[in-house]
mmCIF file of all heavy atoms in Angstrom:
data_model
loop_
_atom_site.group_PDB
_atom_site.id
_atom_site.type_symbol
_atom_site.label_atom_id
_atom_site.label_comp_id
_atom_site.label_asym_id
_atom_site.label_seq_id
_atom_site.Cartn_x
_atom_site.Cartn_y
_atom_site.Cartn_z
ATOM 1 N N LEU A 1 24.130 52.371 14.973
ATOM 2 C CA LEU A 1 25.042 51.452 14.565
ATOM 3 C C LEU A 1 24.531 49.940 14.684
ATOM 4 O O LEU A 1 24.850 49.035 14.060
ATOM 5 C CB LEU A 1 26.350 51.505 15.410
ATOM 6 C CG LEU A 1 27.314 52.532 15.078
ATOM 7 C CD1 LEU A 1 28.404 52.749 16.098
ATOM 8 C CD2 LEU A 1 27.818 52.451 13.710
ATOM 9 N N GLU A 2 23.512 49.793 15.607
ATOM 10 C CA GLU A 2 22.872 48.507 15.829
ATOM 11 C C GLU A 2 22.209 48.020 14.445
ATOM 12 O O GLU A 2 21.971 46.895 14.332
ATOM 13 C CB GLU A 2 21.868 48.571 16.922
ATOM 14 C CG GLU A 2 22.449 48.652 18.346
ATOM 15 C CD GLU A 2 22.732 50.170 18.674
ATOM 16 O OE1 GLU A 2 22.618 50.993 17.800
ATOM 17 O OE2 GLU A 2 23.026 50.436 19.869
ATOM 18 N N ARG A 3 21.789 48.976 13.591
ATOM 19 C CA ARG A 3 21.184 48.613 12.353
ATOM 20 C C ARG A 3 22.230 48.292 11.256
ATOM 21 O O ARG A 3 21.821 47.814 10.147
ATOM 22 C CB ARG A 3 20.400 49.753 11.909
ATOM 23 C CG ARG A 3 19.006 49.957 12.610
ATOM 24 C CD ARG A 3 18.069 49.088 11.987
ATOM 25 N NE ARG A 3 16.658 49.247 12.522
ATOM 26 C CZ ARG A 3 15.643 48.611 12.071
ATOM 27 N NH1 ARG A 3 15.762 47.748 11.101
ATOM 28 N NH2 ARG A 3 14.416 48.870 12.639
ATOM 29 N N LEU A 4 23.473 48.565 11.537
ATOM 30 C CA LEU A 4 24.460 48.422 10.396
ATOM 31 C C LEU A 4 25.711 47.488 10.772
ATOM 32 O O LEU A 4 26.288 47.037 9.734
ATOM 33 C CB LEU A 4 25.096 49.903 10.232
ATOM 34 C CG LEU A 4 24.138 51.005 10.054
ATOM 35 C CD1 LEU A 4 24.852 52.227 10.091
ATOM 36 C CD2 LEU A 4 23.390 50.810 8.800
ATOM 37 N N ALA A 5 25.934 47.151 11.907
ATOM 38 C CA ALA A 5 27.099 46.384 12.288
ATOM 39 C C ALA A 5 26.797 45.102 13.126
ATOM 40 O O ALA A 5 25.983 45.120 13.881
ATOM 41 C CB ALA A 5 28.077 47.356 13.199
ATOM 42 N N GLY A 6 27.478 44.092 12.770
ATOM 43 C CA GLY A 6 27.427 42.804 13.394
ATOM 44 C C GLY A 6 26.002 42.157 13.409
ATOM 45 O O GLY A 6 25.693 41.358 14.205
ATOM 46 N N LEU A 7 25.221 42.459 12.304
ATOM 47 C CA LEU A 7 23.987 41.877 12.213
ATOM 48 C C LEU A 7 23.964 40.293 11.775
ATOM 49 O O LEU A 7 24.792 40.024 10.844
ATOM 50 C CB LEU A 7 23.181 42.595 11.103
ATOM 51 C CG LEU A 7 22.790 44.025 11.388
ATOM 52 C CD1 LEU A 7 22.170 44.702 10.082
ATOM 53 C CD2 LEU A 7 21.787 44.148 12.608
ATOM 54 N N PRO A 8 23.128 39.540 12.401
ATOM 55 C CA PRO A 8 23.156 38.128 11.897
ATOM 56 C C PRO A 8 22.616 38.168 10.586
ATOM 57 O O PRO A 8 21.687 38.884 10.218
ATOM 58 C CB PRO A 8 22.196 37.484 12.924
ATOM 59 C CG PRO A 8 21.315 38.634 13.566
ATOM 60 C CD PRO A 8 22.302 39.748 13.650
ATOM 61 N N ALA A 9 23.191 37.404 9.721
ATOM 62 C CA ALA A 9 22.867 37.412 8.203
ATOM 63 C C ALA A 9 22.244 36.123 7.797
ATOM 64 O O ALA A 9 22.548 35.043 8.265
ATOM 65 C CB ALA A 9 24.081 37.703 7.434
ATOM 66 N N VAL A 10 21.291 36.250 6.840
ATOM 67 C CA VAL A 10 20.747 35.155 6.143
ATOM 68 C C VAL A 10 20.902 35.464 4.702
ATOM 69 O O VAL A 10 20.604 36.506 4.158
ATOM 70 C CB VAL A 10 19.272 34.894 6.377
ATOM 71 C CG1 VAL A 10 18.352 36.048 6.165
ATOM 72 C CG2 VAL A 10 18.692 33.703 5.670
ATOM 73 N N VAL A 11 21.624 34.429 3.993
ATOM 74 C CA VAL A 11 21.900 34.559 2.555
ATOM 75 C C VAL A 11 20.888 33.847 1.723
ATOM 76 O O VAL A 11 20.724 32.654 1.975
ATOM 77 C CB VAL A 11 23.240 34.047 2.236
ATOM 78 C CG1 VAL A 11 23.560 34.260 0.713
ATOM 79 C CG2 VAL A 11 24.318 34.886 3.100
ATOM 80 N N VAL A 12 20.115 34.527 0.838
ATOM 81 C CA VAL A 12 19.110 33.905 0.063
ATOM 82 C C VAL A 12 19.667 33.635 -1.341
ATOM 83 O O VAL A 12 20.042 34.562 -2.063
ATOM 84 C CB VAL A 12 17.901 34.840 -0.062
ATOM 85 C CG1 VAL A 12 16.794 34.170 -0.922
ATOM 86 C CG2 VAL A 12 17.312 35.122 1.316
ATOM 87 N N ARG A 13 19.849 32.372 -1.662
ATOM 88 C CA ARG A 13 20.359 32.001 -3.031
ATOM 89 C C ARG A 13 19.351 32.240 -4.068
ATOM 90 O O ARG A 13 18.238 31.554 -4.062
ATOM 91 C CB ARG A 13 20.821 30.535 -3.009
ATOM 92 C CG ARG A 13 21.822 30.182 -1.928
ATOM 93 C CD ARG A 13 23.220 30.932 -2.038
ATOM 94 N NE ARG A 13 24.154 30.472 -1.069
ATOM 95 C CZ ARG A 13 25.191 31.149 -0.599
ATOM 96 N NH1 ARG A 13 25.383 32.362 -1.120
ATOM 97 N NH2 ARG A 13 25.956 30.659 0.305
ATOM 98 N N ALA A 14 19.490 33.176 -4.882
ATOM 99 C CA ALA A 14 18.540 33.436 -5.963
ATOM 100 C C ALA A 14 19.288 33.494 -7.395
ATOM 101 O O ALA A 14 18.933 34.432 -8.175
ATOM 102 C CB ALA A 14 17.777 34.759 -5.679
ATOM 103 N N VAL A 15 20.270 32.646 -7.534
ATOM 104 C CA VAL A 15 20.935 32.777 -8.839
ATOM 105 C C VAL A 15 20.236 31.783 -9.796
ATOM 106 O O VAL A 15 20.008 30.583 -9.503
ATOM 107 C CB VAL A 15 22.312 32.210 -8.648
ATOM 108 C CG1 VAL A 15 23.128 32.190 -9.914
ATOM 109 C CG2 VAL A 15 23.102 32.962 -7.569
ATOM 110 N N GLY A 16 19.757 32.299 -10.939
ATOM 111 C CA GLY A 16 19.016 31.551 -11.859
ATOM 112 C C GLY A 16 18.401 32.380 -12.960
ATOM 113 O O GLY A 16 18.792 33.449 -13.209
ATOM 114 N N ASP A 17 17.358 31.779 -13.630
ATOM 115 C CA ASP A 17 16.826 32.453 -14.696
ATOM 116 C C ASP A 17 15.783 33.536 -14.398
ATOM 117 O O ASP A 17 15.546 34.558 -15.074
ATOM 118 C CB ASP A 17 16.005 31.409 -15.609
ATOM 119 C CG ASP A 17 16.971 30.471 -16.262
ATOM 120 O OD1 ASP A 17 18.188 30.857 -16.467
ATOM 121 O OD2 ASP A 17 16.598 29.301 -16.471
ATOM 122 N N ASP A 18 15.211 33.458 -13.066
ATOM 123 C CA ASP A 18 14.248 34.369 -12.690
ATOM 124 C C ASP A 18 14.883 35.702 -12.278
ATOM 125 O O ASP A 18 15.844 35.551 -11.281
ATOM 126 C CB ASP A 18 13.338 33.822 -11.474
ATOM 127 C CG ASP A 18 12.478 32.689 -12.003
ATOM 128 O OD1 ASP A 18 12.106 32.623 -13.221
ATOM 129 O OD2 ASP A 18 12.235 31.671 -11.139
ATOM 130 N N ARG A 19 14.492 36.803 -12.851
ATOM 131 C CA ARG A 19 15.182 38.048 -12.398
ATOM 132 C C ARG A 19 14.697 38.655 -11.057
ATOM 133 O O ARG A 19 15.565 39.074 -10.286
ATOM 134 C CB ARG A 19 14.956 39.069 -13.439
ATOM 135 C CG ARG A 19 15.609 38.868 -14.775
ATOM 136 C CD ARG A 19 15.223 39.971 -15.768
ATOM 137 N NE ARG A 19 15.530 41.299 -15.231
ATOM 138 C CZ ARG A 19 14.722 42.308 -15.348
ATOM 139 N NH1 ARG A 19 13.589 42.192 -15.863
ATOM 140 N NH2 ARG A 19 15.081 43.515 -14.832
ATOM 141 N N GLY A 20 13.467 38.449 -10.779
ATOM 142 C CA GLY A 20 12.885 38.948 -9.590
ATOM 143 C C GLY A 20 12.905 38.007 -8.377
ATOM 144 O O GLY A 20 12.612 36.836 -8.536
ATOM 145 N N VAL A 21 13.443 38.544 -7.208
ATOM 146 C CA VAL A 21 13.327 37.707 -6.006
ATOM 147 C C VAL A 21 11.930 38.057 -5.350
ATOM 148 O O VAL A 21 11.696 39.188 -4.945
ATOM 149 C CB VAL A 21 14.451 38.207 -5.042
ATOM 150 C CG1 VAL A 21 14.389 37.364 -3.824
ATOM 151 C CG2 VAL A 21 15.772 38.025 -5.608
ATOM 152 N N THR A 22 11.153 36.996 -5.199
ATOM 153 C CA THR A 22 9.655 37.195 -4.945
ATOM 154 C C THR A 22 9.413 36.752 -3.559
ATOM 155 O O THR A 22 10.287 36.137 -2.935
ATOM 156 C CB THR A 22 8.757 36.297 -5.841
ATOM 157 O OG1 THR A 22 9.083 34.946 -5.703
ATOM 158 C CG2 THR A 22 9.066 36.698 -7.279
ATOM 159 N N ALA A 23 8.115 37.195 -3.049
ATOM 160 C CA ALA A 23 7.828 36.769 -1.735
ATOM 161 C C ALA A 23 7.770 35.191 -1.612
ATOM 162 O O ALA A 23 7.938 34.626 -0.572
ATOM 163 C CB ALA A 23 6.415 37.348 -1.421
ATOM 164 N N GLU A 24 7.371 34.552 -2.632
ATOM 165 C CA GLU A 24 7.384 33.048 -2.674
ATOM 166 C C GLU A 24 8.741 32.531 -2.360
ATOM 167 O O GLU A 24 8.823 31.569 -1.668
ATOM 168 C CB GLU A 24 6.861 32.501 -4.009
ATOM 169 C CG GLU A 24 6.652 31.035 -4.045
ATOM 170 C CD GLU A 24 6.087 30.471 -5.258
ATOM 171 O OE1 GLU A 24 5.820 31.368 -6.136
ATOM 172 O OE2 GLU A 24 5.944 29.265 -5.475
ATOM 173 N N MET A 25 9.839 33.136 -3.016
ATOM 174 C CA MET A 25 11.140 32.603 -2.853
ATOM 175 C C MET A 25 11.511 32.988 -1.380
ATOM 176 O O MET A 25 12.538 32.292 -0.878
ATOM 177 C CB MET A 25 12.067 33.314 -3.821
ATOM 178 C CG MET A 25 11.678 32.909 -5.273
ATOM 179 S SD MET A 25 12.549 34.021 -6.427
ATOM 180 C CE MET A 25 14.230 33.545 -6.156
ATOM 181 N N LEU A 26 11.033 33.876 -0.787
ATOM 182 C CA LEU A 26 11.418 34.326 0.625
ATOM 183 C C LEU A 26 10.530 33.664 1.666
ATOM 184 O O LEU A 26 10.811 33.914 2.952
ATOM 185 C CB LEU A 26 11.478 35.839 0.776
ATOM 186 C CG LEU A 26 12.319 36.519 -0.150
ATOM 187 C CD1 LEU A 26 12.049 38.002 -0.144
ATOM 188 C CD2 LEU A 26 13.773 36.264 0.289
ATOM 189 N N ALA A 27 9.527 33.016 1.351
ATOM 190 C CA ALA A 27 8.465 32.576 2.336
ATOM 191 C C ALA A 27 8.967 31.809 3.464
ATOM 192 O O ALA A 27 8.389 31.878 4.592
ATOM 193 C CB ALA A 27 7.267 31.886 1.529
ATOM 194 N N HIS A 28 9.973 30.982 3.215
ATOM 195 C CA HIS A 28 10.448 30.053 4.284
ATOM 196 C C HIS A 28 11.712 30.414 4.883
ATOM 197 O O HIS A 28 12.384 29.638 5.561
ATOM 198 C CB HIS A 28 10.648 28.649 3.610
ATOM 199 C CG HIS A 28 9.205 28.085 3.048
ATOM 200 N ND1 HIS A 28 8.134 27.818 3.813
ATOM 201 C CD2 HIS A 28 8.916 27.879 1.815
ATOM 202 C CE1 HIS A 28 7.180 27.402 2.979
ATOM 203 N NE2 HIS A 28 7.595 27.340 1.849
ATOM 204 N N VAL A 29 12.111 31.798 4.619
ATOM 205 C CA VAL A 29 13.338 32.252 5.274
ATOM 206 C C VAL A 29 13.072 33.062 6.500
ATOM 207 O O VAL A 29 12.174 33.840 6.525
ATOM 208 C CB VAL A 29 13.996 33.183 4.176
ATOM 209 C CG1 VAL A 29 15.296 33.804 4.769
ATOM 210 C CG2 VAL A 29 14.344 32.443 2.905
ATOM 211 N N THR A 30 13.756 32.834 7.558
ATOM 212 C CA THR A 30 13.571 33.506 8.825
ATOM 213 C C THR A 30 14.369 34.920 8.613
ATOM 214 O O THR A 30 15.643 34.722 8.602
ATOM 215 C CB THR A 30 13.983 32.790 10.041
ATOM 216 O OG1 THR A 30 13.253 31.516 10.072
ATOM 217 C CG2 THR A 30 13.857 33.535 11.284
ATOM 218 N N VAL A 31 13.697 35.971 8.681
ATOM 219 C CA VAL A 31 14.471 37.276 8.402
ATOM 220 C C VAL A 31 14.435 38.209 9.591
ATOM 221 O O VAL A 31 15.003 39.215 9.659
ATOM 222 C CB VAL A 31 13.774 37.979 7.147
ATOM 223 C CG1 VAL A 31 13.889 36.995 5.910
ATOM 224 C CG2 VAL A 31 12.390 38.465 7.426
ATOM 225 N N ALA A 32 13.540 38.106 10.530
ATOM 226 C CA ALA A 32 13.445 38.975 11.671
ATOM 227 C C ALA A 32 14.664 39.268 12.305
ATOM 228 O O ALA A 32 15.525 38.404 12.768
ATOM 229 C CB ALA A 32 12.462 38.301 12.712
ATOM 230 N N GLY A 33 15.044 40.621 12.349
ATOM 231 C CA GLY A 33 16.200 41.024 12.977
ATOM 232 C C GLY A 33 17.551 40.736 12.270
ATOM 233 O O GLY A 33 18.519 40.882 12.810
ATOM 234 N N ARG A 34 17.414 40.313 10.955
ATOM 235 C CA ARG A 34 18.615 39.848 10.299
ATOM 236 C C ARG A 34 18.889 40.730 9.093
ATOM 237 O O ARG A 34 17.965 41.430 8.584
ATOM 238 C CB ARG A 34 18.482 38.400 9.879
ATOM 239 C CG ARG A 34 18.393 37.345 10.944
ATOM 240 C CD ARG A 34 18.193 36.007 10.403
ATOM 241 N NE ARG A 34 18.291 35.014 11.502
ATOM 242 C CZ ARG A 34 18.167 33.743 11.296
ATOM 243 N NH1 ARG A 34 17.878 33.181 10.122
ATOM 244 N NH2 ARG A 34 18.265 32.907 12.325
ATOM 245 N N ALA A 35 20.141 40.742 8.634
ATOM 246 C CA ALA A 35 20.521 41.297 7.448
ATOM 247 C C ALA A 35 20.170 40.257 6.257
ATOM 248 O O ALA A 35 20.727 39.164 6.378
ATOM 249 C CB ALA A 35 21.945 41.656 7.352
ATOM 250 N N VAL A 36 19.358 40.612 5.449
ATOM 251 C CA VAL A 36 18.851 39.646 4.402
ATOM 252 C C VAL A 36 19.621 39.989 3.141
ATOM 253 O O VAL A 36 19.577 41.010 2.589
ATOM 254 C CB VAL A 36 17.452 39.726 4.056
ATOM 255 C CG1 VAL A 36 16.966 38.697 2.994
ATOM 256 C CG2 VAL A 36 16.584 39.530 5.381
ATOM 257 N N LEU A 37 20.490 39.047 2.660
ATOM 258 C CA LEU A 37 21.522 39.302 1.667
ATOM 259 C C LEU A 37 21.009 38.553 0.442
ATOM 260 O O LEU A 37 21.065 37.263 0.478
ATOM 261 C CB LEU A 37 23.013 38.945 1.944
ATOM 262 C CG LEU A 37 23.386 39.676 3.360
ATOM 263 C CD1 LEU A 37 24.812 39.289 3.690
ATOM 264 C CD2 LEU A 37 23.290 41.200 3.157
ATOM 265 N N LEU A 38 20.672 39.103 -0.648
ATOM 266 C CA LEU A 38 20.125 38.510 -1.787
ATOM 267 C C LEU A 38 21.345 38.202 -2.788
ATOM 268 O O LEU A 38 21.872 39.048 -3.468
ATOM 269 C CB LEU A 38 19.052 39.412 -2.425
ATOM 270 C CG LEU A 38 17.946 39.848 -1.609
ATOM 271 C CD1 LEU A 38 17.026 40.699 -2.426
ATOM 272 C CD2 LEU A 38 17.242 38.633 -0.974
ATOM 273 N N HIS A 39 21.681 36.915 -2.901
ATOM 274 C CA HIS A 39 22.687 36.399 -3.715
ATOM 275 C C HIS A 39 22.114 36.118 -5.042
ATOM 276 O O HIS A 39 21.625 34.901 -5.209
ATOM 277 C CB HIS A 39 23.457 35.240 -3.070
ATOM 278 C CG HIS A 39 24.513 34.634 -4.018
ATOM 279 N ND1 HIS A 39 24.790 33.322 -3.875
ATOM 280 C CD2 HIS A 39 25.383 35.146 -4.977
ATOM 281 C CE1 HIS A 39 25.776 33.020 -4.805
ATOM 282 N NE2 HIS A 39 26.147 34.151 -5.433
ATOM 283 N N THR A 40 22.230 36.957 -6.018
ATOM 284 C CA THR A 40 21.648 36.809 -7.362
ATOM 285 C C THR A 40 22.742 36.458 -8.487
ATOM 286 O O THR A 40 22.371 35.999 -9.559
ATOM 287 C CB THR A 40 20.986 38.100 -7.897
ATOM 288 O OG1 THR A 40 21.859 39.007 -8.140
ATOM 289 C CG2 THR A 40 19.952 38.603 -6.750
ATOM 290 N N GLY A 41 23.993 36.649 -8.137
ATOM 291 C CA GLY A 41 25.041 36.489 -9.145
ATOM 292 C C GLY A 41 25.159 37.626 -9.989
ATOM 293 O O GLY A 41 26.027 37.505 -11.024
#
């Protein structure tokens, strides 16, 4: 359950013309121990 419930979340805004969410787009996001939620629209 520790992997599924109450995880601190970081939302990555990736709404735009680029279809792929790349490493470059994630490079400055702190993701360790977090639920990384890709908001693409």
Side-chain angles (χ1 to χ4, degrees):
L1 285 174
E2 292 87 350
R3 281 279 187 174
L4 309 172
L7 294 170
V10 55
V11 180
V12 179
R13 306 293 184 203
V15 180
D17 296 330
D18 294 329
R19 292 178 55 223
V21 181
T22 64
E24 183 179 359
M25 297 167 66
L26 298 167
H28 302 295
V29 180
T30 300
V31 305
R34 294 179 173 179
V36 181
L37 307 179
L38 306 179
H39 174 210
T40 69

